[in-house]
Amino acid sequence: MRIVAGLAGEGRSVWKKDPNSSPVSETQMFLYDTFPKEFLWGVGTGAFQVEGSWRKDGKGSSIWDRFVHTEFRDADSTDVSSDSYTLLDKDLSALDFLGVTFYQFSISWSRLFPTGVVTAPNEKGLQYYNTLIDSLVYRNIDPVVTLYHWDLPLTLQEQYGGWKNESVIDIFNDYATFCFQTFGDRVKYWITIHNPYLVAWHGYGTGIHAPGEKGKITTVYAVGHNLIKAHAKVWHNYKKHFEPYQKGLMSIVLGSHWIEPNRSEDALDISKCQQSVERVLGWFAKPIHGDGDYPEELKNELSFLPRFTEDEKKYIKGTADFFAFSFGPNNFKPPNTLPKMGQNLSLNLREVLNWIKLEYNSPRILIAENGWFTDSHVKTDDTTAIYMMKNFINKVLQGLCATIKYDNIDVFGYTAWSLLDGFEWQHAYNIRRGLFYVDFKSEKKERIPKSSARYYKQIIRENGFFPRESTPSLQAQFSCDFSWGITESVLKAESVASSPQFCDSNLYLWNVTGDGLLHKVEGVKLKTRPAQCTDFVSIKKQLDLLEKMKVTHYRFALDWSLILPKGDLSVVNRQVLRYYRCVISEVLKLNVQSMVTLYHPTHAYLGLPAPLLQTGGWLNHSTAHAFQDYAALCFRELGDLVKLWITINEPNRLSDVYNRSSSDTYRAAHNLLIAHAMAWKVYDEQYRSLQYGKVSLSLHSDWAEPANPYFESHAKAANRFLQFEIGWFADPIFKTGDYPATMREYILLKNRKGLSHSSLPSFTSEEKKLVKGAADFYALNHFTTRFVIHEPQNGSQYEFDRDIQFLQDITCLSSPSRLAVVPWGMRKVLKWIKRTYGDIDIYITANGIDDQSLDNDELRNYYLGKYVQEVLKAYYIDKVKIRGYYAFKLTEEKSKPRFGFFTSDSKGKPSIKFYNKLISNNGFPADYSVCDPSNKEKECSFCLFISQKKPLIFFACCLFSTLILLLTIIVFHKRKRRKRFKRQLHVDVVEIPPQGSPGPLDDDGAALQRHADCEPNTEAR
């Protein structure tokens, strides 16, 4: 969100988003913090909704009494509603339970003055409100009193036409004056009118509210005009005659929807959003909180809009001591009546508060109505309402929290709506909005706290939000032999090398005829070299990506259908096997070990050889034997290079494929378990002693959290999810050799009730022995935490047998595919595995999130950092034996969620460096490193340089050797020429003249001697 100083008329700047804003900015995420100490917590009701007793003790009829009895079926049920008029003590007990600081309620005008005209008040009605106010003051609960919440005395409607007639303004002022005189000594907060937009628009426009008039748009705006003037008159009355000694504050509750532009960068869409809000909220807010007049857009568009005189503008301007704001379902329904202007409705309370701040010069704001609704059949388990409340209140906290430089909106109080279930206007009793459940058909009408009441009580007690699950960050490291890996899905093998030029003995000429093609030269054969693994281009790419990841382990899956296209050993594709062996061997040269998955099915691609699919796939027990043969082949051909094997990836998710009935689902799962166990046994008996590897299967292991912490049924549902999702496969292998007892018992219970005909297969005694203990470690794929609701379902399917539904926590940071980022769930599931299956080795074989960004995947960085931190806590504090962590995944796939560190065309993302740092630090070290990663890094860097630059090093050595050889030859030949020259010179000089020759003999002899003296220097040259 773009934060702007509060300048009047700048509301439209709220929609101007920063395109570079971070998805994990602390200013946008759920805020754990407290409200100011003086913050006010309240709850509200409307008189007509909860009081009942519409004809009791002299009360007069209101427009809603007549509207209900003429327009609604079951009208008699509205006579008592929650019956607050006679059950005041129960309302007060409900307020005590919550611990609120104020109670916002409305006075029924016709209960005090049956005809609406101020004469002698109805004593019973007067006594009721005096008792209510006195009881609140006694409890230190401030009364916030609304003078008019839609229940206009019927007489005023019949005699004057209601709010269409300006005469009602003075009558309303007389009624307000009586209330100030009677209750003002104990009331410090007054509301004149509750949501005048709905009074005018639905009461005199759409006709879905009383008095139910439809049609003329001019009447709608005339009513709105009169409501504004009525409010202003009452405000001036109070300020002049009562405020000096009662010291109270007054406002009018204004309600609105919120709207978001289709394109935040489009000025036209932003203008439409501004117009939409001005037509609803601005219609009343601009005259009262602005300049005393209607929005310019309204005046320009609506020629029939009533006009204020200059004196009236001055009189109306500023007639509110605070901005009382309503944001709830009534402001969004019916959606077809809202001026959406082609844009998108939104429930972002924080942004509409920012709009108010910027449009009306930072007023003090009271949230005078906020909450959501549930269906009428929901009693106390209003889980959805908890999450809506959590979201709304946290948006308020984000908006006002100045301590960390957020929006600094001046919100001083919050009203949860409503205290009790009651009559919900045009919805009658078809929805519920109360924090307390009321059975309208019972005599006692007990106020039973719902989950939302308990949650609101907790927020009030703590004055905000405290993190309950997360713990402070830990500075520590994993063991020095900890595995840091990256996971990939099935590697599609190349059956023929992509770079065959060194294997082809033919000579080619290019572009001989100008066609740009290669033409083979007949009769010419060249020397070739043997085929090499690096002839596969895809392997080169894999190596390049892995080198950048700096991991120690690489997990990938083989393609069963390519290796054994007929499903048995009759045809073995040796080229594909060679490809996979090349991958493993070349990866080893990077000092990276491979974790190989034999079978990686998905709901889109089952991955079985075609003949096996045709015979029923995993519904056929023979597929398990075929898998055993396939596994044995892979162990034999690749096992000398592989130390970690995964037989089957996420067999507990194949319920998405075999979902025709629960019988299919459970039978397929049974055969998958047997197949895994048979493969493990083959390795254990035939290959372990030679290859020293380990084998397991990888289970999808998301954590499950009760969506509603106040209901035991939700806790049981969460545990049931874990048993049906994880225990289904883990219990037979790591625990008992059989399916979880709770799983069997629950299915049997549903059978007895006639809700399901499902049944789990039974293991024979031999199968139990085979399956139990058939894993060397626990491998889990974990991505998120699921919030689980108990939801009874009828039918014979695996999904129905669990009796659960999932709830999306809208306050959680989520990915584009709606994966909630809940780091503490990782630690919880790791502790649960240890607690349930003992102190076994654990590998996290896949953990990651999708992030739409290609050039700044901050969400992935955040996710990795937070989740690895929780893994470290489980390892270091909880002593869970975690042996490795594998991030998911290496490359993303086209047209699928972006989970990859690399794009589908191998472009790296910034998260690579973040993961590199986690690996090099081996966790989150303090000032020192146990494993001394700096030296290790230097050593590994040198090793990697040697292994990757072998061709270059070989070429350099050859070049150096050639130079040495050439220099040696040159020196040899030079020495040889010098010796030849020396011998020739010696022959020429040593010729002796005839004896007896005078003089010259002495001279020549001297010359010879001089030559001999110089000869060593000549040789030296």
Side-chain angles (χ1 to χ4, degrees):
M1 181 179 292
R2 180 172 173 263
I3 307 304
V4 185
L7 301 174
E10 289 294 323
R12 68 178 61 238
S13 63
V14 168
W15 290 290
K16 297 176 182 177
K17 309 292 184 182
D18 180 2
N20 299 316
S21 62
S22 169
V24 293
S25 167
E26 66 174 5
T27 65
Q28 304 301 314
M29 295 171 64
F30 190 87
L31 176 61
Y32 291 99
D33 207 335
T34 57
F35 286 82
K37 291 182 179 179
E38 65 278 7
F39 193 81
L40 304 178
W41 295 102
V43 68
T45 58
F48 183 79
Q49 296 178 279
V50 299
E51 283 186 2
S53 303
W54 74 286
R55 290 178 293 189
K56 191 173 183 178
D57 294 339
K59 179 186 178 296
S61 294
S62 73
I63 57 174
W64 269 97
D65 289 318
R66 185 179 70 175
F67 187 69
V68 167
H69 286 82
T70 57
E71 300 292 331
F72 288 75
R73 298 177 182 177
D74 303 323
D76 291 342
S77 64
T78 65
D79 297 351
V80 289
S81 186
S82 304
D83 207 9
S84 289
Y85 180 73
T86 59
L87 300 174
L88 176 59
D89 287 343
K90 294 184 178 182
D91 288 358
L92 294 171
S93 296
L95 293 170
D96 290 337
F97 176 88
L98 293 173
V100 293
T101 52
F102 71 86
Y103 177 41
Q104 182 179 328
F105 65 93
S106 71
I107 294 174
S108 173
W109 189 347
S110 61
R111 193 176 293 282
L112 282 182
F113 302 102
T115 65
V117 178
V118 176
T119 54
N122 175 19
E123 288 299 327
K124 290 289 186 179
L126 182 60
Q127 179 184 347
Y128 170 72
Y129 291 115
N130 269 319
T131 302
L132 171 56
I133 293 171
D134 288 340
S135 300
L136 294 174
V137 173
Y138 175 77
R139 287 169 166 77
N140 292 318
I141 298 174
D142 288 329
V144 177
V145 179
T146 301
L147 295 173
Y148 181 68
H149 196 139
W150 308 354
D151 49 351
L152 185 74
L154 182 59
T155 303
L156 298 182
Q157 181 67 33
E158 293 176 338
Q159 293 185 3
Y160 296 91
W163 289 107
K164 294 183 292 184
N165 193 325
E166 285 195 38
S167 300
V168 176
I169 295 174
D170 290 330
I171 300 173
F172 179 62
N173 187 51
D174 293 341
Y175 156 63
T177 300
F178 175 84
C179 292
F180 299 152
Q181 291 170 340
T182 307
F183 310 121
D185 58 329
R186 291 156 291 167
V187 176
K188 302 305 176 188
Y189 295 95
W190 291 97
I191 301 295
T192 56
I193 302 168
H194 187 92
N195 211 337
Y197 170 83
L198 296 180
V199 175
W201 194 260
H202 290 323
Y204 296 85
T206 67
I208 64 174
H209 282 191
E213 297 188 10
K214 301 178 183 178
K216 293 185 178 180
I217 192 69
T218 54
T219 302
V220 172
Y221 286 97
V223 167
H225 199 70
N226 290 336
L227 288 168
I228 292 172
K229 292 200 289 186
H231 158 76
K233 189 175 185 72
V234 171
W235 188 87
H236 281 287
N237 178 15
Y238 184 80
K239 287 296 172 182
K240 183 176 181 180
H241 300 107
F242 300 97
E243 193 260 356
Y245 63 92
Q246 291 183 355
K247 308 298 182 183
L249 301 172
M250 181 177 291
S251 188
I252 179 173
V253 172
L254 303 180
S256 183
H257 63 306
W258 185 243
I259 201 99
E260 295 282 358
N262 291 319
R263 299 163 302 230
S264 59
E265 70 282 359
D266 190 297
L268 180 59
D269 283 355
I270 290 176
S271 293
K272 289 179 179 178
C273 289
Q274 178 75 5
Q275 292 171 27
S276 176
V277 178
E278 282 183 343
R279 288 187 180 190
V280 177
L281 184 56
W283 177 11
F284 294 90
K286 190 167 182 286
I288 296 168
H289 294 278
D291 60 3
D293 201 0
Y294 294 118
E296 290 300 318
E297 188 271 337
L298 269 183
K299 292 195 296 182
N300 294 335
E301 183 175 335
L302 306 178
S303 59
F304 53 82
L305 187 69
R307 305 292 172 172
F308 293 115
T309 66
E310 290 302 317
D311 288 340
E312 284 176 332
K313 291 177 186 178
K314 294 177 183 178
Y315 186 75
I316 293 167
K317 179 182 178 181
T319 54
D321 300 315
F322 54 92
F323 199 115
F325 181 60
S326 165
F327 194 72
N330 289 329
N331 299 303
F332 288 85
K333 291 185 174 183
N336 61 333
T337 65
L338 290 169
K340 292 183 287 187
M341 312 289 290
Q343 307 307 304
N344 305 304
L345 291 176
S346 167
L347 294 177
N348 196 324
L349 177 56
R350 179 182 177 185
E351 291 203 345
V352 69
L353 291 176
N354 259 298
W355 188 89
I356 293 169
K357 167 194 168 184
L358 297 170
E359 194 73 14
Y360 302 115
N361 200 23
S362 301
R364 297 192 73 217
I365 300 174
L366 170 69
I367 308 296
E369 177 189 1
N370 182 237
W372 210 240
F373 65 92
T374 61
D375 293 333
S376 59
H377 69 271
V378 176
K379 295 183 178 180
T380 57
D381 185 2
D382 59 338
T383 305
T384 302
I386 288 179
Y387 287 89
M388 295 299 291
M389 176 183 286
K390 179 183 178 183
N391 177 55
F392 285 137
I393 295 179
N394 201 258
K395 291 295 184 184
V396 176
L397 179 61
Q398 292 173 8
L400 65 85
C401 191
T403 58
I404 46 179
K405 307 303 180 186
Y406 285 13
D407 308 344
N408 199 18
I409 304 169
D410 189 7
V411 181
F412 68 91
Y414 177 88
T415 311
W417 202 275
S418 73
L419 176 64
L420 311 171
D421 286 336
F423 181 78
E424 292 300 333
W425 311 114
Q426 74 268 27
H427 302 288
Y429 294 99
N430 294 317
I431 65 172
R432 293 177 180 269
R433 291 190 64 192
L435 297 177
F436 287 79
Y437 170 77
V438 178
D439 183 353
F440 302 119
K441 295 180 180 180
S442 68
E443 291 185 8
K444 294 184 177 180
K445 293 184 174 59
E446 298 293 348
R447 278 65 167 139
I448 304 173
K450 300 180 184 180
S451 302
S452 55
R454 299 180 186 278
Y455 186 65
Y456 191 43
K457 177 181 181 178
Q458 175 184 307
I459 291 175
I460 294 172
R461 184 176 64 248
E462 297 177 351
N463 200 34
F465 301 91
F466 286 92
R468 301 188 177 281
E469 304 296 345
S470 60
T471 55
S473 295
L474 179 66
Q475 285 190 316
Q477 289 178 293
F478 294 98
S479 63
C480 297
D481 60 349
F482 190 79
S483 303
W484 290 98
I486 186 70
T487 293
E488 188 61 290
S489 300
V490 178
L491 284 189
K492 291 298 181 183
E494 297 178 67
S495 57
V496 179
S498 309
S499 303
Q501 62 268 33
F502 297 113
C503 306
D504 190 348
S505 61
N506 293 303
L507 177 67
Y508 296 89
L509 295 176
W510 176 71
N511 204 27
V512 175
T513 60
D515 57 3
L517 300 177
L518 292 172
H519 296 270
K520 183 164 64 174
V521 179
E522 299 296 340
V524 178
K525 295 293 182 181
L526 304 174
K527 289 184 178 181
T528 62
R529 61 157 174 76
Q532 296 182 1
C533 287
T534 49
D535 292 339
F536 296 104
V537 171
S538 62
I539 293 180
K540 292 179 181 178
K541 289 182 179 179
Q542 291 285 319
L543 295 175
D544 182 55
L545 302 186
L546 286 172
E547 185 178 2
K548 292 176 181 176
M549 292 302 302
K550 301 187 187 303
V551 292
T552 62
H553 285 71
Y554 176 40
R555 182 190 172 205
F556 67 91
L558 311 179
D559 192 326
W560 183 3
S561 62
L562 286 181
I563 295 174
L564 298 179
K566 291 192 174 183
D568 57 28
L569 300 178
S570 63
V571 177
V572 178
N573 192 328
R574 293 289 171 183
Q575 286 298 321
V576 171
L577 273 175
R578 177 178 174 269
Y579 174 87
Y580 287 130
R581 186 172 180 86
C582 278
V583 171
I584 298 167
S585 61
E586 290 300 311
V587 163
L588 273 173
K589 294 175 183 178
L590 295 179
N591 292 325
V592 175
Q593 296 282 338
S594 292
M595 175 185 279
V596 177
T597 301
L598 296 174
Y599 178 52
H600 190 288
T602 67
H603 64 89
Y605 176 66
L606 197 52
L608 286 171
L612 298 181
L613 272 176
Q614 293 166 6
T615 56
W618 288 108
L619 296 177
N620 191 329
H621 186 70
S622 64
T623 303
H625 292 278
F627 182 76
Q628 180 186 32
D629 293 339
Y630 161 63
L633 172 68
C634 294
F635 295 151
R636 183 172 66 251
E637 298 294 329
L638 307 174
D640 58 317
L641 302 177
V642 179
K643 302 306 176 188
L644 293 171
W645 291 95
I646 299 294
T647 55
I648 306 169
N649 184 69
E650 297 189 353
N652 52 341
R653 280 303 174 94
L654 275 183
S655 59
D656 296 340
V657 178
Y658 293 99
N659 58 3
R660 186 177 58 182
S661 68
S662 59
S663 176
D664 282 1
T665 304
Y666 296 135
R667 185 150 56 115
H670 195 77
N671 290 332
L672 283 159
L673 267 169
I674 298 298
H676 157 76
M678 291 170 66
W680 182 88
K681 184 179 180 182
V682 164
Y683 190 86
D684 189 57
E685 293 180 349
Q686 300 181 26
Y687 298 99
R688 189 186 302 278
S689 60
L690 300 173
Q691 298 176 357
Y692 306 105
K694 294 181 178 181
V695 181
S696 187
L697 79 172
S698 192
L699 298 178
H700 193 105
S701 303
D702 285 340
W703 179 244
E705 193 72 13
N708 189 330
Y710 306 104
F711 268 80
E712 186 181 0
S713 63
H714 288 235
K716 290 181 177 179
N719 182 63
R720 192 161 61 248
F721 170 81
L722 295 175
Q723 295 299 330
F724 272 76
E725 181 86 353
I726 302 175
W728 184 18
F729 281 80
D731 269 35
I733 295 172
F734 296 101
K735 200 172 183 181
T736 63
D738 199 358
Y739 297 116
T742 53
M743 190 176 178
R744 283 195 184 278
E745 290 167 3
Y746 198 79
I747 292 174
L748 287 173
L749 176 64
K750 295 199 69 172
N751 288 342
R752 286 195 294 270
K753 292 180 178 180
L755 301 175
S756 172
H757 300 290
S758 301
S759 64
L760 282 172
S762 296
F763 290 100
T764 65
S765 57
E766 290 79 10
E767 287 175 337
K768 286 183 178 180
K769 291 178 183 178
L770 174 69
V771 171
K772 185 178 179 181
D776 302 313
F777 55 90
Y778 188 106
L780 71 146
N781 299 344
H782 176 90
F783 298 93
T784 189
T785 290
R786 315 295 294 272
F787 294 91
V788 179
I789 296 172
H790 172 66
E791 185 70 32
Q793 299 183 62
N794 190 352
S796 300
Q797 289 200 335
Y798 167 75
E799 298 292 334
F800 298 160
D801 286 343
R802 303 184 301 179
D803 281 349
I804 61 171
Q805 287 289 346
F806 300 116
L807 182 142
Q808 186 79 19
D809 184 353
I810 59 175
T811 67
C812 275
L813 175 66
S814 297
S815 74
S817 66
R818 301 188 70 189
L819 282 179
V821 180
V822 190
W824 47 261
M826 169 67 91
R827 183 180 178 187
K828 281 197 170 188
V829 77
L830 289 169
K831 290 168 66 176
W832 182 85
I833 292 168
K834 177 182 178 181
R835 185 170 63 250
T836 307
Y837 302 115
D839 196 21
I840 56 177
D841 287 351
I842 296 176
Y843 283 85
I844 299 161
T845 47
N847 179 238
I849 198 167
D850 56 308
D851 189 330
Q852 281 295 101
S853 178
L854 297 177
D855 54 5
N856 191 18
D857 52 344
E858 292 179 276
L859 177 59
R860 181 171 292 108
N861 288 345
Y862 179 86
Y863 181 96
L864 286 171
K866 295 296 183 181
Y867 273 75
V868 172
Q869 175 65 220
E870 294 301 314
V871 173
L872 182 63
K873 290 174 187 175
Y875 171 82
Y876 196 81
I877 299 173
D878 308 323
K879 306 303 180 184
V880 181
K881 292 171 65 175
I882 306 165
R883 299 305 186 194
Y885 173 89
Y886 292 65
F888 183 84
K889 69 196 238 348
L890 185 62
T891 56
E892 65 190 32
E893 300 174 63
K894 291 181 179 179
S895 304
K896 290 188 177 181
R898 298 183 182 275
F899 277 91
F901 285 85
F902 292 89
T903 64
S904 56
D905 55 356
S906 302
K907 292 181 180 178
K909 302 177 185 178
S911 54
I912 296 170
K913 291 184 178 179
F914 184 86
Y915 193 40
N916 289 166
K917 186 176 180 181
L918 282 176
I919 295 171
S920 63
N921 288 336
N922 200 32
F924 302 88
D927 296 333
Y928 64 93
S929 173
V930 174
C931 300
D932 192 17
S934 58
N935 292 335
K936 183 179 178 181
E937 180 69 22
K938 291 176 184 177
E939 179 184 351
C940 291
S941 298
F942 178 74
C943 295
L944 283 175
F945 177 81
I946 294 296
S947 62
Q948 287 298 294
K949 306 301 180 183
K950 282 181 180 179
L952 181 62
I953 294 171
F954 177 76
F955 175 75
C957 291
C958 290
L959 182 63
F960 181 74
S961 301
T962 303
L963 288 174
I964 294 296
L965 181 61
L966 286 173
L967 286 173
T968 303
I969 293 171
I970 290 170
V971 170
F972 174 77
H973 282 285
K974 287 185 71 174
R975 292 177 65 89
K976 193 172 181 180
R977 284 197 301 271
R978 288 175 185 151
K979 287 181 178 180
R980 187 182 302 114
F981 175 74
K982 178 180 176 182
R983 286 196 298 270
Q984 183 63 42
L985 184 62
H986 182 73
V987 170
D988 292 339
V989 174
V990 181
E991 290 181 357
I992 300 172
Q995 289 185 355
S997 297
L1001 179 60
D1002 296 334
D1003 294 340
D1004 290 343
L1008 178 61
Q1009 184 62 45
R1010 285 194 299 272
H1011 179 82
D1013 292 340
C1014 295
E1015 191 172 13
N1017 290 332
T1018 303
E1019 181 67 21
R1021 287 195 296 273

